[in-house]
Amino acid sequence: MKSQKPTKYTISLSFEEIRLPPFEDILIIGKKCPHGKIGLSRSFELLVPNEFEVFEVNDSIVGAVFINRRILKKLDKDKIIEVLKEKVFPFSSESEILKVDFKLKLFYESIEGKF
Amino acid sequence: MTVKHLVTTSYSTVDAFSGTSQVENELLEHGYLVVFDEGKYAGILTPHDVLCRPHKLVIDCLTQKEHVHSDDSLDTVLNRLNQTNAKALPVFDDGRYTGVIVRDDIVVSLQNRTKSLQNRTKELREKLQLARQLKNSFLTNLSHEVRTPLNGILPLIETLSELQEEEDAQSYSPELIELLETTMNRFLRVMEDLIELSLIESGQHIELLTTEIDLETMFEELVSETVRQPQFAEKKLAIQSQLRDTTLRLETDEIKLKRVFAHLIQNAMKFCTDESVVTFGVKRIESTKVSFFVSNTGDSIVNRNRIFRMFEREKNSPTHFSEGLGVGLAISQKLVELLGGNIKVLQENLNQTMFEFSVLLKLDDGQKE
């Protein structure tokens, strides 16, 4: 008669803080990603009202872009989307949602004045 | 024809924020679902939408659909449905959503319309056929009835003028004169029937002249007019009137009432056997109506259902139809209806025929034109 050894198990456990919404700056939504811009927009509106704006883009892969309003205060949306198109869109795919950290710093070359 | 009557609000609905996997089966079953967001119309979801934009939520799958108006024509809407290949389209009136129009409903409506048009066409074709038959019948009868007396009159006139050339006035044959008179009378009756028929058909005969009628006097006039008719003497007939209640007061159009009796008595004389009696009179008095009758002995009527039709004639011998245009009974029926009554034929027994007709005792103002 065989003796039954007790079953052992191990759990790999980790946790981290998650903030909602799960992004601060910019979200890029692929055209065929499971979550559409309307559903996302409504849920963000419920969580953080009036913090983001949604823009549809004319692109073969990306359907829409969520941009934090505080960034829009500093830089025009067309300029932001131009940067994204050049630097981020080529790396995104249709079924993905990409979170983009977009930290803007402004530099003035010289500030002149009279006393 | 607009699509107003085809706009429906009877359809399956779904919330805009439902999951597409939740509504999959229902969508496939109905072919479309109407999407509402907090009670407000959001769009129409189709399987094509879900295939082209595969998102988790219904609202993300929706695509803009062309809309129609309830005042749009059937053709316009059908074209729109065909162009978009949609099963259903939303209907907007004055900017407000009012329902949907479904392709299947249009198809059924068109099928019903086609069937209705086919039935109507068939009905009109049958009426046209009947009208043609009546026209042919009329022309045949008329041709015969006009030609026959004229064929008799012309030779008689020729003969009389030949005789006139002879100096001996006693050569005139009284029989010739009588024959001429009879033939002329026959011709006149045909013309009178034609005139009466054309008045009725043109609607001019509906004017009624109501007076209080003395039935006793009218019946006496009818008897004396009847006995002067050649046919009366030829067949050795007798005529009898029946009026038990001489105090009966009747207010109606005397001329038309007398015409009805004249036609029916004429008819009775045509079909009764020789040496028989034609009887007419009052049959029954009710609270608002009085029924009259005209009866004769003779062969029974074969086509009782059609006897009041225009140009319908019975045979008065195995091989010959009766003389006349075949309009007397039809005219009688129309005149009786104008007097507020109806007419029917009764077969008392195989050898006795009775026509019974009723008129109002007093024509109402509504009956007068």
Side-chain angles (χ1 to χ4, degrees), chain A residues 28-113:
Chain A
I28 290 174
I29 316 295
K31 275 192 159 142
K32 288 187 180 168
C33 85
H35 306 282
K37 68 172 172 50
I38 302 175
L40 283 169
S41 174
R42 190 69 73 92
S43 59
F44 292 153
E45 222 21 67
L46 285 168
L47 292 168
V48 277
N50 217 28
E51 191 149 313
F52 295 92
E53 246 188 83
V54 188
F55 301 99
E56 281 195 23
V57 292
N58 189 10
D59 188 78
S60 56
I61 293 166
V62 174
V65 173
F66 284 68
I67 303 176
N68 196 310
R69 284 180 200 271
R70 55 178 169 71
I71 299 175
L72 288 168
K73 258 192 170 170
K74 299 173 178 75
L75 196 61
D76 187 60
K77 73 133 170 123
D78 291 325
K79 283 227 161 44
I80 296 170
I81 289 170
E82 199 186 307
V83 168
L84 293 172
K85 268 187 176 172
E86 198 190 314
K87 304 294 181 189
V88 183
F89 284 12
F91 298 97
S92 64
S93 60
E94 280 182 321
S95 56
E96 274 182 337
I97 302 178
L98 289 183
K99 181 176 92 157
V100 178
D101 289 330
F102 195 96
K103 299 290 182 257
L104 183 64
K105 283 181 185 175
L106 286 165
F107 294 96
Y108 293 96
E109 273 194 13
S110 66
I111 301 172
E112 289 179 21

Side-chain angles (χ1 to χ4, degrees), chain B residues 6-23:
Chain B
L6 293 171
V7 177
T8 180
T9 51
S10 172
Y11 40 63
S12 289
T13 63
V14 67
D15 185 79
F17 289 90
S18 305
T20 44
S21 54
Q22 268 178 285
V23 303

Side-chain angles (χ1 to χ4, degrees), chain B residues 166-189:
Chain B
E166 293 176 21
E167 287 177 11
D168 184 1
Q170 286 171 358
S171 302
Y172 280 143
S173 164
E175 286 86 10
L176 271 177
I177 304 288
E178 200 182 315
L179 188 58
L180 182 60
E181 199 178 1
T182 307
T183 313
M184 280 301 296
N185 281 331
R186 179 177 165 184
F187 184 67
L188 266 170
R189 274 200 301 279

Side-chain angles (χ1 to χ4, degrees), chain B residues 248-251 286-290 359-363:
Chain B
L248 174 64
R249 287 289 164 260
L250 181 63
E251 280 182 34
E286 295 164 53
S287 55
T288 56
K289 284 188 178 180
V290 55
V359 301
L360 290 171
L361 275 170
K362 190 174 178 179
L363 273 180

Side-chain angles (χ1 to χ4, degrees), chain B residues 93-109:
Chain B
D93 291 316
D94 300 324
R96 280 193 319 114
Y97 169 78
T98 52
V100 301
I101 189 131
V102 184
R103 178 197 291 273
D104 289 349
D105 290 347
I106 294 180
V107 169
V108 167
S109 169

